[in-house]
Amino acid sequence: MDYPNFELKTQDCLTWLPSQKEGSFQLIVLDPPYNVGYRYNQYQDTKPQHLYLNEQLLVLSHCQRLLKEGGSLFYLNYPETAGEIWGRVDFMKKVKWLSWVYHSHLTGKPLRKGSRAWLWFSKGEPFMNPAAFQGEYRNPGDPRIQARIARGKKPVGYDWFDLEPVKNTSREKRGHPCQVPEKMVEKFILGTTNPGDLVGDCYTGSGTTGICAVRHGRNFAGCELDPAYVQVATKGIDQELLAKGITPLNQGKESNLVEIRRVI
């Protein structure tokens, strides 16, 4: 039985990306800092906007080099910045703009942000598993819907998500302030990769992309600037490995993974 490879480095993305092999990734998922003044431990989130945009475009150009032909990249940001990126990227195919609308349930200033945008790019014509992007019935108890389900029918998926952000009370919460739902990332992984493919994330954060990749038999390589978040991500990966009956490397025992590297 083949087990997923997993590599996570404590490194800046613009140092890590050039070190990766060209054409080796089937999927890259990016949820970068949004340049809105959040107080990270290791990162300045208050850059002049033109410098921030140039840096993001540089990251995306590196990612284009790393993608296989037919590989996909999903990039998340607030709509204003996403629009700037969408308009300037001319080195990858623009597959789809996917809106993510949610309730924050927070107090504060009125009309606070309640949406972000996933930008789906690809290198050439994207490989796709269409079944992964099908929707779900909201009223499965309705006899008419049950009849459709019995015939193998599912609703079409739309170009927007209404999943709630990961909250402090969520079972997914792993000590990171800006987690995206696992269900969302799983859809990207199942929809654009096959088992054994390599998935990347150079803003690993709490490890959601790596956790979902390993869960579904994909390989993962990524980096994270903050050593504290590397520990959070590593713990999450270890829990996923234990759920599969695989001994994590940092348990002090020999692992039966094909390969698992943690370079910290």
PDB file of all heavy atoms in Angstrom, residues 91-107:
ATOM      1  N   PHE A  91      -0.602  34.903 -17.505  1.00  0.00           N
ATOM      2  CA  PHE A  91       0.309  33.783 -17.727  1.00  0.00           C
ATOM      3  C   PHE A  91      -0.299  32.443 -17.309  1.00  0.00           C
ATOM      4  O   PHE A  91       0.382  31.434 -17.304  1.00  0.00           O
ATOM      5  CB  PHE A  91       1.638  34.033 -16.991  1.00  0.00           C
ATOM      6  CG  PHE A  91       1.487  34.516 -15.571  1.00  0.00           C
ATOM      7  CD1 PHE A  91       1.287  33.624 -14.524  1.00  0.00           C
ATOM      8  CD2 PHE A  91       1.543  35.882 -15.295  1.00  0.00           C
ATOM      9  CE1 PHE A  91       1.153  34.082 -13.234  1.00  0.00           C
ATOM     10  CE2 PHE A  91       1.413  36.346 -13.997  1.00  0.00           C
ATOM     11  CZ  PHE A  91       1.215  35.441 -12.960  1.00  0.00           C
ATOM     12  N   MET A  92      -1.587  32.452 -16.944  1.00  0.00           N
ATOM     13  CA  MET A  92      -2.326  31.220 -16.684  1.00  0.00           C
ATOM     14  C   MET A  92      -3.735  31.374 -17.237  1.00  0.00           C
ATOM     15  O   MET A  92      -4.236  32.492 -17.408  1.00  0.00           O
ATOM     16  CB  MET A  92      -2.397  30.918 -15.178  1.00  0.00           C
ATOM     17  CG  MET A  92      -1.104  30.407 -14.571  1.00  0.00           C
ATOM     18  SD  MET A  92      -1.293  29.874 -12.829  1.00  0.00           S
ATOM     19  CE  MET A  92      -1.411  31.466 -12.003  1.00  0.00           C
ATOM     20  N   LYS A  93      -4.367  30.259 -17.503  1.00  0.00           N
ATOM     21  CA  LYS A  93      -5.751  30.277 -17.964  1.00  0.00           C
ATOM     22  C   LYS A  93      -6.666  30.644 -16.799  1.00  0.00           C
ATOM     23  O   LYS A  93      -6.508  30.133 -15.686  1.00  0.00           O
ATOM     24  CB  LYS A  93      -6.146  28.900 -18.507  1.00  0.00           C
ATOM     25  CG  LYS A  93      -7.598  28.788 -18.982  1.00  0.00           C
ATOM     26  CD  LYS A  93      -7.895  27.384 -19.487  1.00  0.00           C
ATOM     27  CE  LYS A  93      -9.363  27.213 -19.844  1.00  0.00           C
ATOM     28  NZ  LYS A  93      -9.729  28.058 -21.004  1.00  0.00           N
ATOM     29  N   LYS A  94      -7.619  31.537 -17.044  1.00  0.00           N
ATOM     30  CA  LYS A  94      -8.610  31.902 -16.033  1.00  0.00           C
ATOM     31  C   LYS A  94      -9.810  30.969 -16.171  1.00  0.00           C
ATOM     32  O   LYS A  94     -10.566  31.062 -17.132  1.00  0.00           O
ATOM     33  CB  LYS A  94      -9.029  33.365 -16.205  1.00  0.00           C
ATOM     34  CG  LYS A  94      -7.873  34.348 -16.033  1.00  0.00           C
ATOM     35  CD  LYS A  94      -8.269  35.771 -16.378  1.00  0.00           C
ATOM     36  CE  LYS A  94      -7.073  36.707 -16.285  1.00  0.00           C
ATOM     37  NZ  LYS A  94      -7.413  38.091 -16.699  1.00  0.00           N
ATOM     38  N   VAL A  95      -9.948  30.079 -15.202  1.00  0.00           N
ATOM     39  CA  VAL A  95     -11.001  29.061 -15.294  1.00  0.00           C
ATOM     40  C   VAL A  95     -12.315  29.574 -14.737  1.00  0.00           C
ATOM     41  O   VAL A  95     -13.354  29.509 -15.384  1.00  0.00           O
ATOM     42  CB  VAL A  95     -10.575  27.779 -14.545  1.00  0.00           C
ATOM     43  CG1 VAL A  95     -11.657  26.704 -14.674  1.00  0.00           C
ATOM     44  CG2 VAL A  95      -9.249  27.261 -15.065  1.00  0.00           C
ATOM     45  N   LYS A  96     -12.293  30.099 -13.499  1.00  0.00           N
ATOM     46  CA  LYS A  96     -13.539  30.513 -12.872  1.00  0.00           C
ATOM     47  C   LYS A  96     -13.257  31.410 -11.669  1.00  0.00           C
ATOM     48  O   LYS A  96     -12.307  31.200 -10.934  1.00  0.00           O
ATOM     49  CB  LYS A  96     -14.325  29.285 -12.412  1.00  0.00           C
ATOM     50  CG  LYS A  96     -15.721  29.561 -11.867  1.00  0.00           C
ATOM     51  CD  LYS A  96     -16.693  29.993 -12.946  1.00  0.00           C
ATOM     52  CE  LYS A  96     -17.073  28.867 -13.869  1.00  0.00           C
ATOM     53  NZ  LYS A  96     -18.149  29.253 -14.809  1.00  0.00           N
ATOM     54  N   TRP A  97     -14.119  32.415 -11.495  1.00  0.00           N
ATOM     55  CA  TRP A  97     -14.149  33.224 -10.270  1.00  0.00           C
ATOM     56  C   TRP A  97     -15.219  32.616  -9.382  1.00  0.00           C
ATOM     57  O   TRP A  97     -16.379  32.536  -9.762  1.00  0.00           O
ATOM     58  CB  TRP A  97     -14.468  34.663 -10.627  1.00  0.00           C
ATOM     59  CG  TRP A  97     -14.666  35.623  -9.474  1.00  0.00           C
ATOM     60  CD1 TRP A  97     -15.591  35.537  -8.488  1.00  0.00           C
ATOM     61  CD2 TRP A  97     -13.925  36.827  -9.219  1.00  0.00           C
ATOM     62  NE1 TRP A  97     -15.489  36.587  -7.626  1.00  0.00           N
ATOM     63  CE2 TRP A  97     -14.467  37.409  -8.050  1.00  0.00           C
ATOM     64  CE3 TRP A  97     -12.872  37.472  -9.864  1.00  0.00           C
ATOM     65  CZ2 TRP A  97     -13.993  38.609  -7.519  1.00  0.00           C
ATOM     66  CZ3 TRP A  97     -12.403  38.660  -9.331  1.00  0.00           C
ATOM     67  CH2 TRP A  97     -12.950  39.223  -8.172  1.00  0.00           C
ATOM     68  N   LEU A  98     -14.834  32.164  -8.188  1.00  0.00           N
ATOM     69  CA  LEU A  98     -15.749  31.510  -7.259  1.00  0.00           C
ATOM     70  C   LEU A  98     -15.922  32.387  -6.021  1.00  0.00           C
ATOM     71  O   LEU A  98     -14.969  32.613  -5.276  1.00  0.00           O
ATOM     72  CB  LEU A  98     -15.208  30.138  -6.847  1.00  0.00           C
ATOM     73  CG  LEU A  98     -14.935  29.152  -7.984  1.00  0.00           C
ATOM     74  CD1 LEU A  98     -14.142  27.955  -7.481  1.00  0.00           C
ATOM     75  CD2 LEU A  98     -16.244  28.694  -8.611  1.00  0.00           C
ATOM     76  N   SER A  99     -17.112  32.896  -5.803  1.00  0.00           N
ATOM     77  CA  SER A  99     -17.370  33.749  -4.650  1.00  0.00           C
ATOM     78  C   SER A  99     -17.652  32.905  -3.410  1.00  0.00           C
ATOM     79  O   SER A  99     -18.279  31.850  -3.482  1.00  0.00           O
ATOM     80  CB  SER A  99     -18.564  34.667  -4.921  1.00  0.00           C
ATOM     81  OG  SER A  99     -18.280  35.557  -5.989  1.00  0.00           O
ATOM     82  N   TRP A 100     -17.170  33.397  -2.284  1.00  0.00           N
ATOM     83  CA  TRP A 100     -17.433  32.751  -0.987  1.00  0.00           C
ATOM     84  C   TRP A 100     -18.123  33.785  -0.101  1.00  0.00           C
ATOM     85  O   TRP A 100     -17.515  34.769   0.288  1.00  0.00           O
ATOM     86  CB  TRP A 100     -16.127  32.263  -0.365  1.00  0.00           C
ATOM     87  CG  TRP A 100     -16.284  31.665   1.008  1.00  0.00           C
ATOM     88  CD1 TRP A 100     -17.419  31.139   1.554  1.00  0.00           C
ATOM     89  CD2 TRP A 100     -15.265  31.542   2.014  1.00  0.00           C
ATOM     90  NE1 TRP A 100     -17.173  30.690   2.832  1.00  0.00           N
ATOM     91  CE2 TRP A 100     -15.867  30.920   3.137  1.00  0.00           C
ATOM     92  CE3 TRP A 100     -13.920  31.892   2.068  1.00  0.00           C
ATOM     93  CZ2 TRP A 100     -15.152  30.648   4.312  1.00  0.00           C
ATOM     94  CZ3 TRP A 100     -13.204  31.623   3.228  1.00  0.00           C
ATOM     95  CH2 TRP A 100     -13.815  31.008   4.329  1.00  0.00           C
ATOM     96  N   VAL A 101     -19.396  33.546   0.204  1.00  0.00           N
ATOM     97  CA  VAL A 101     -20.208  34.469   1.001  1.00  0.00           C
ATOM     98  C   VAL A 101     -20.510  33.812   2.341  1.00  0.00           C
ATOM     99  O   VAL A 101     -20.855  32.632   2.398  1.00  0.00           O
ATOM    100  CB  VAL A 101     -21.516  34.819   0.268  1.00  0.00           C
ATOM    101  CG1 VAL A 101     -22.349  35.796   1.077  1.00  0.00           C
ATOM    102  CG2 VAL A 101     -21.213  35.385  -1.123  1.00  0.00           C
ATOM    103  N   TYR A 102     -20.379  34.551   3.434  1.00  0.00           N
ATOM    104  CA  TYR A 102     -20.526  33.956   4.762  1.00  0.00           C
ATOM    105  C   TYR A 102     -20.997  35.013   5.765  1.00  0.00           C
ATOM    106  O   TYR A 102     -20.957  36.214   5.509  1.00  0.00           O
ATOM    107  CB  TYR A 102     -19.190  33.366   5.238  1.00  0.00           C
ATOM    108  CG  TYR A 102     -18.027  34.313   5.113  1.00  0.00           C
ATOM    109  CD1 TYR A 102     -17.734  35.249   6.104  1.00  0.00           C
ATOM    110  CD2 TYR A 102     -17.220  34.291   3.975  1.00  0.00           C
ATOM    111  CE1 TYR A 102     -16.671  36.120   5.973  1.00  0.00           C
ATOM    112  CE2 TYR A 102     -16.159  35.175   3.839  1.00  0.00           C
ATOM    113  CZ  TYR A 102     -15.891  36.087   4.841  1.00  0.00           C
ATOM    114  OH  TYR A 102     -14.839  36.956   4.694  1.00  0.00           O
ATOM    115  N   HIS A 103     -21.436  34.537   6.934  1.00  0.00           N
ATOM    116  CA  HIS A 103     -21.789  35.397   8.057  1.00  0.00           C
ATOM    117  C   HIS A 103     -20.650  35.354   9.064  1.00  0.00           C
ATOM    118  O   HIS A 103     -20.192  34.278   9.436  1.00  0.00           O
ATOM    119  CB  HIS A 103     -23.087  34.927   8.726  1.00  0.00           C
ATOM    120  CG  HIS A 103     -24.281  34.987   7.828  1.00  0.00           C
ATOM    121  ND1 HIS A 103     -24.693  33.907   7.083  1.00  0.00           N
ATOM    122  CD2 HIS A 103     -25.135  36.003   7.546  1.00  0.00           C
ATOM    123  CE1 HIS A 103     -25.757  34.248   6.380  1.00  0.00           C
ATOM    124  NE2 HIS A 103     -26.048  35.509   6.642  1.00  0.00           N
ATOM    125  N   SER A 104     -20.206  36.514   9.511  1.00  0.00           N
ATOM    126  CA  SER A 104     -19.106  36.544  10.468  1.00  0.00           C
ATOM    127  C   SER A 104     -19.588  36.476  11.913  1.00  0.00           C
ATOM    128  O   SER A 104     -18.864  36.047  12.803  1.00  0.00           O
ATOM    129  CB  SER A 104     -18.277  37.819  10.271  1.00  0.00           C
ATOM    130  OG  SER A 104     -19.058  38.963  10.555  1.00  0.00           O
ATOM    131  N   HIS A 105     -20.835  36.919  12.175  1.00  0.00           N
ATOM    132  CA  HIS A 105     -21.414  36.907  13.527  1.00  0.00           C
ATOM    133  C   HIS A 105     -20.557  37.705  14.505  1.00  0.00           C
ATOM    134  O   HIS A 105     -20.485  37.382  15.695  1.00  0.00           O
ATOM    135  CB  HIS A 105     -21.589  35.471  14.035  1.00  0.00           C
ATOM    136  CG  HIS A 105     -22.421  34.615  13.143  1.00  0.00           C
ATOM    137  ND1 HIS A 105     -23.762  34.832  12.932  1.00  0.00           N
ATOM    138  CD2 HIS A 105     -22.086  33.550  12.365  1.00  0.00           C
ATOM    139  CE1 HIS A 105     -24.238  33.930  12.094  1.00  0.00           C
ATOM    140  NE2 HIS A 105     -23.245  33.152  11.736  1.00  0.00           N
ATOM    141  N   LEU A 106     -19.887  38.748  14.020  1.00  0.00           N
ATOM    142  CA  LEU A 106     -19.043  39.571  14.874  1.00  0.00           C
ATOM    143  C   LEU A 106     -19.648  40.957  15.045  1.00  0.00           C
ATOM    144  O   LEU A 106     -20.408  41.429  14.191  1.00  0.00           O
ATOM    145  CB  LEU A 106     -17.643  39.697  14.269  1.00  0.00           C
ATOM    146  CG  LEU A 106     -16.839  38.398  14.124  1.00  0.00           C
ATOM    147  CD1 LEU A 106     -15.542  38.681  13.386  1.00  0.00           C
ATOM    148  CD2 LEU A 106     -16.552  37.770  15.481  1.00  0.00           C
ATOM    149  N   THR A 107     -19.324  41.610  16.142  1.00  0.00           N
ATOM    150  CA  THR A 107     -19.741  42.987  16.337  1.00  0.00           C
ATOM    151  C   THR A 107     -18.695  43.910  15.712  1.00  0.00           C
ATOM    152  O   THR A 107     -17.661  43.457  15.216  1.00  0.00           O
ATOM    153  CB  THR A 107     -19.872  43.291  17.838  1.00  0.00           C
ATOM    154  OG1 THR A 107     -18.618  43.028  18.481  1.00  0.00           O
ATOM    155  CG2 THR A 107     -20.945  42.409  18.471  1.00  0.00           C
TER     156      THR A 107
END
